[in-house]
Amino acid sequence: MADIIRLLPDHVANQIAAGEVVQRPSSVVKELLENAIDAGATEIKLIIKDGGKTLIQVVDNGKGMSGTDARLSFERHATSKIQKAEDLFNLHTKGFRGEALASIAAIAHVEMLTKTEDDEIGTKIKIEGSKVVTQEVVVAPKGTSMLVKNLFFNIPARRNFLKSDQVEYRHITDEFHRISLAHPQVAFSFYNNGSDVFQLPGNDFRKRIVHIFGRKTDEKLVPVEEDTQVVKISGYIQKPEFAKKSRGEQFFFANNRFIKSPYLHHAILGAFEGLIRPGTHPGYFLNLEVDPGTIDINIHPTKTEVKFDDEHTLYAMLKSAVKHSLGQFNVIPALDFEQDQNLETPYAYKGKKVGIPQVVVDASFNPFEEVKKYKGGTSGNYTKTSAKGWENMYAGLEVAVDHPSNNNSTLEFESEVVNSSIFESDNEAADHVTHTFQLRKKYIITTIKSGMVVINQSRAHQRVLYENFLKNITIKEAVSQQLLFPLTLSFTPSEIEILDEIKDNLCTVGFVFGEVSNEGVEIKGVPVLVAESEVQMIMEQLMSDFQQEVPGDSFSQSDMLAKTLAKTLSVKTGETLDEFSQQKLVNDLFACKESTLSPFNKKVYIMITENDIERKFI
């Protein structure tokens, strides 16, 4: 039998490795920014075009590379970060695999311009698909400039799987946030399609957070400091009242490296237990400094998944440190049950001087003195006043008494207490004779000719609201209710960009916006179905949905907006509905164009025929 195992060519092996290292343009941004940090740069510039698909450029003022190092850096497993296997347990750099540049060069057009401080001239290298096109000597400033163009040009299948430019831009922004927060002492610049997005000067950690997420973030932060033999915890958490339904401002850094740890996130949730609403997530920016020998980051090529030697101890320390900060800065109300409230000084007496109490005695008081009572039943001086002209108060009543049909016949009185309903009143629905029943505050059961229908109340209401909102967006005749006092909501700069994109569609639904600035937005009107207390929740849900998946065309944007509003405003499981609301929901559901499925393609109701019931008794 002939030999069938062959070594893969280098360019094929590099393309396979690139599938793990380079998943999307944000992966390239992450690797290039981390290389600039490892090079000791104090100023880093990031430039992207078309969501990173056309151009990604990172310029730094680090130590640069010689001509030989520049050429060797594009080879697989070529690195200056480690020398032997034991160095993996004592890492102080971001990169150490030596795979990033080789993987990037295998699937893109790469151009490198680099120069060290000691060299008089620099080196320029052009590589296309792992093939070196040119290498020449040029004049260049100190540092390195990496230019990555036409990502996945030789792998069309991978390029087709990329999302829209807006979605890829969001992912790049997230990576930029993570790296810039991990290194606040480094100055960063970010440009997207020629526009200036971020200009972050080198500063301390708190100011870096404020520069990225807005000035109003400063008042939300609570410092956390804890230094032990196992771990040093530092950073900030957000106050409980600013917890959001969406995740977006949760950052863990282990030895200045961004990590994802659901286990440690659970410790934060445990510290906030009882202080935030269910389903919301607190924001935090926490740095964990541990011994490099007690952490393993060589698990996944992205290096965001790590393992700690003693996670249980770290969990307990993190939870107690956050709880201590919440109590230390009076975020948690302190209750002292042993203190006697009678000993507390009233606020009115705080500034008064202490003196001997004075007793005032009425010497003329006689307890046996009889007090004369007047006929009116009251004691004291009483003066009778004239009531002349009282007859004028009843002038004109004779007509009403003699002719009651002229006035009282037009008066209407309420004989029953009217209970408010979440649905609009409809005379036709009220006159319907079909009876409904609510089961376990989740399902509505109604009868039909052949049996009965069991309806999921939440999904049914989602379908009704979804078609109503989609109709309003299409026809642009939504009814809006003006707010007496406009609401001012604060958002991060990235959320403001999302709001600018969907603002027109929000106006067609019924929202009325005032001034929109980098710090927040003013809302003057809301749709009729939306309560003022729900506006903040709706906006947070909208931002979360659009950050995860930003649609490209206007119809998809309108569809996502209608789905989000329907999901947020729909009746939830556990809410009790009166009989009229149940019947109204049933009628509205079967008046929809598509009543069998919810907006998220889930079954809304099931039908149980009389034959199905009879089979159960066989």
Side-chain angles (χ1 to χ4, degrees):
M1 181 178 176
D3 298 333
I4 59 176
I5 297 178
R6 299 284 187 273
L7 285 173
L8 288 175
D10 287 341
H11 68 279
V12 178
N14 286 339
Q15 289 185 4
I16 295 173
E20 293 184 350
V21 179
V22 184
Q23 300 173 354
R24 59 197 327 154
S26 60
S27 305
V28 177
V29 172
K30 174 181 180 295
E31 298 294 343
L32 296 183
L33 289 178
E34 287 182 347
N35 283 342
I37 295 291
D38 290 339
T42 58
E43 295 180 4
I44 300 176
K45 186 183 298 183
L46 171 63
I47 303 169
I48 66 170
K49 285 185 180 180
D50 302 330
K53 301 175 185 177
T54 305
L55 171 68
I56 299 174
Q57 184 177 7
V58 174
V59 183
D60 66 73
N61 63 346
K63 55 186 178 183
M65 289 179 284
S66 63
T68 304
D69 288 342
R71 177 66 184 84
L72 192 61
S73 65
F74 289 99
E75 299 295 329
R76 289 189 66 196
H77 307 302
T79 180
S80 62
K81 314 296 174 62
I82 61 175
Q83 302 295 330
K84 53 187 182 296
E86 289 75 11
D87 293 340
L88 290 173
F89 301 99
N90 190 26
L91 291 172
H92 297 278
T93 56
K94 297 291 177 293
F96 55 88
R97 298 177 185 272
E99 292 181 336
L101 291 182
S103 300
I104 295 171
I107 55 173
H109 296 166
V110 180
E111 181 179 316
M112 173 191 281
L113 183 64
T114 182
K115 173 185 170 299
T116 62
E117 187 175 6
D118 298 333
D119 294 337
E120 295 183 357
I121 52 177
T123 304
K124 183 177 182 180
I125 300 177
K126 286 185 179 181
I127 299 180
E128 297 179 359
S130 297
K131 296 181 180 179
V132 179
V133 179
T134 59
Q135 179 174 352
E136 54 186 351
V137 176
V138 295
V139 177
K142 175 203 168 186
T144 304
S145 172
M146 288 293 300
L147 199 70
V148 179
K149 297 184 291 185
N150 304 324
L151 196 63
F152 298 121
F153 79 98
N154 53 354
I155 312 179
R158 288 292 302 275
R159 190 175 181 89
N160 292 335
F161 275 102
L162 294 179
K163 303 295 183 180
S164 63
D165 292 350
Q166 294 93 337
V167 175
E168 299 300 338
Y169 169 68
R170 303 276 178 249
H171 286 284
I172 292 174
T173 304
D174 290 341
E175 289 294 344
F176 180 81
H177 287 170
R178 295 166 182 174
I179 296 177
S180 59
L181 284 171
H183 302 276
Q185 74 281 358
V186 180
F188 287 89
S189 302
F190 186 12
Y191 301 92
N192 176 38
N193 293 332
S195 61
D196 190 347
V197 181
F198 284 106
Q199 290 291 338
L200 306 177
N203 239 319
D204 59 14
F205 191 39
R206 182 165 191 148
K207 291 182 179 178
R208 175 58 55 88
I209 296 172
V210 172
H211 281 145
I212 292 177
F213 295 99
R215 288 182 298 175
K216 292 190 177 180
T217 309
D218 193 25
E219 62 188 26
K220 305 177 185 178
L221 301 179
V222 176
V224 178
E225 290 288 341
E226 192 69 39
D227 194 355
T228 65
Q229 295 180 350
V230 178
V231 60
K232 179 181 179 181
I233 304 173
S234 62
Y236 300 91
I237 56 175
Q238 292 190 359
K239 296 177 182 178
E241 59 265 28
F242 298 105
K244 296 182 179 180
K245 292 189 66 177
S246 60
R247 296 187 181 185
E249 297 181 6
Q250 289 83 28
F251 294 89
F252 274 124
F253 302 99
N255 295 347
N256 295 328
R257 182 193 302 275
F258 174 79
I259 63 171
K260 295 179 180 179
S261 177
Y263 186 65
L264 297 182
H265 176 73
H266 188 270
I268 303 294
L269 294 180
F272 277 88
E273 185 177 4
L275 299 175
I276 58 178
R277 301 187 306 273
T280 58
H281 303 275
Y284 51 82
F285 310 88
L286 295 175
N287 296 302
L288 309 176
E289 294 184 25
V290 298
D291 183 6
T294 62
I295 181 175
D296 184 10
I297 59 177
N298 190 23
I299 296 177
H300 193 271
T302 59
K303 308 184 190 75
T304 56
E305 299 178 12
V306 299
K307 288 292 183 182
F308 297 95
D309 282 355
D310 193 355
E311 284 189 330
H312 297 289
T313 303
L314 193 61
Y315 180 98
M317 289 183 176
L318 184 61
K319 184 175 180 179
S320 61
V322 173
K323 274 192 171 183
H324 177 70
S325 294
L326 290 173
Q328 182 181 9
F329 292 92
N330 296 327
V331 178
I332 300 178
L335 298 177
D336 189 356
F337 296 100
E338 298 180 356
Q339 186 175 359
D340 188 358
Q341 294 184 355
N342 296 325
L343 300 178
E344 294 183 358
T345 305
Y347 288 106
Y349 293 87
K350 185 177 180 181
K352 290 188 176 183
K353 296 181 179 180
V354 179
I356 300 175
Q358 300 294 329
V359 180
V360 181
V361 180
D362 187 4
S364 62
F365 176 70
N366 184 4
F368 303 102
E369 183 179 358
E370 294 183 1
V371 180
K372 295 181 180 180
K373 295 184 178 180
Y374 292 87
K375 294 181 181 181
T378 57
S379 60
N381 296 327
Y382 176 75
T383 304
K384 183 177 180 180
T385 57
S386 176
K388 184 183 268 187
W390 61 271
E391 300 88 349
N392 297 330
M393 298 176 59
Y394 300 94
L397 290 182
E398 295 83 357
V399 179
V401 174
D402 295 339
H403 306 282
S405 61
N406 295 340
N407 296 311
N408 296 340
S409 62
T410 60
L411 299 180
E412 295 181 358
F413 300 92
E414 290 187 359
S415 59
E416 296 180 357
V417 178
V418 179
N419 294 326
S420 60
S421 171
I422 60 173
F423 301 102
E424 298 176 1
S425 60
D426 191 345
N427 294 332
E428 295 180 359
D431 295 338
H432 205 286
V433 295
T434 305
H435 294 286
T436 58
F437 173 73
Q438 188 179 24
L439 177 64
R440 298 192 180 277
K441 299 181 181 180
K442 184 176 182 180
Y443 303 102
I444 297 175
I445 300 176
T446 184
T447 58
I448 55 176
K449 291 182 180 180
S450 60
M452 64 180 181
V453 180
V454 182
I455 304 172
N456 186 305
Q457 65 182 31
S458 179
R459 295 179 184 177
H461 199 199
Q462 285 180 13
R463 166 54 64 178
V464 173
L465 292 177
Y466 168 73
E467 293 199 3
N468 287 338
F469 281 123
L470 205 58
K471 180 180 178 181
N472 290 337
I473 294 174
T474 305
I475 302 177
K476 298 182 179 180
E477 293 182 356
V479 180
S480 176
Q481 58 180 5
Q482 299 297 312
L483 298 178
L484 184 61
F485 300 101
L487 293 174
T488 302
L489 306 179
S490 60
F491 297 107
T492 62
S494 59
E495 291 174 339
I496 292 294
E497 292 181 4
I498 297 176
L499 186 62
D500 288 336
E501 296 176 8
I502 63 176
K503 183 179 176 182
D504 294 338
N505 284 332
L506 285 174
C507 292
T508 59
V509 175
F511 285 95
V512 179
F513 293 95
E515 182 182 357
V516 179
S517 62
N518 293 331
E519 299 297 330
V521 59
E522 183 183 38
I523 299 178
K524 294 183 177 180
V526 296
V528 176
L529 297 177
V530 178
E532 184 177 346
S533 58
E534 297 175 334
V535 176
Q536 179 76 35
M537 179 180 63
I538 292 173
M539 287 297 177
E540 290 179 1
Q541 188 66 47
L542 279 172
M543 299 301 174
S544 175
D545 291 346
F546 275 84
Q547 280 178 340
Q548 294 175 4
E549 182 67 31
V550 179
D553 55 355
S554 60
F555 174 77
S556 299
Q557 195 177 93
S558 303
D559 183 68
M560 178 176 286
L561 178 60
K563 286 181 179 179
T564 301
L565 291 173
K567 179 176 63 176
T568 308
L569 298 175
S570 63
V571 175
K572 303 300 186 291
T573 299
E575 293 188 25
T576 304
L577 303 181
D578 56 30
E579 187 174 354
F580 173 74
S581 298
Q582 297 171 23
Q583 188 61 56
K584 183 70 167 60
L585 179 57
V586 173
N587 294 338
D588 289 345
L589 172 64
F590 290 105
C592 293
K593 294 181 179 179
E594 174 59 66
S595 59
T596 58
L597 296 175
S598 73
F600 303 95
N601 294 324
K602 294 183 179 180
K603 187 178 291 186
V604 174
Y605 65 86
I606 60 172
M607 300 179 65
I608 303 176
T609 63
E610 189 176 351
N611 293 332
D612 295 334
I613 299 175
E614 288 180 354
R615 291 194 194 100
K616 300 293 183 181
F617 292 93
I618 296 177

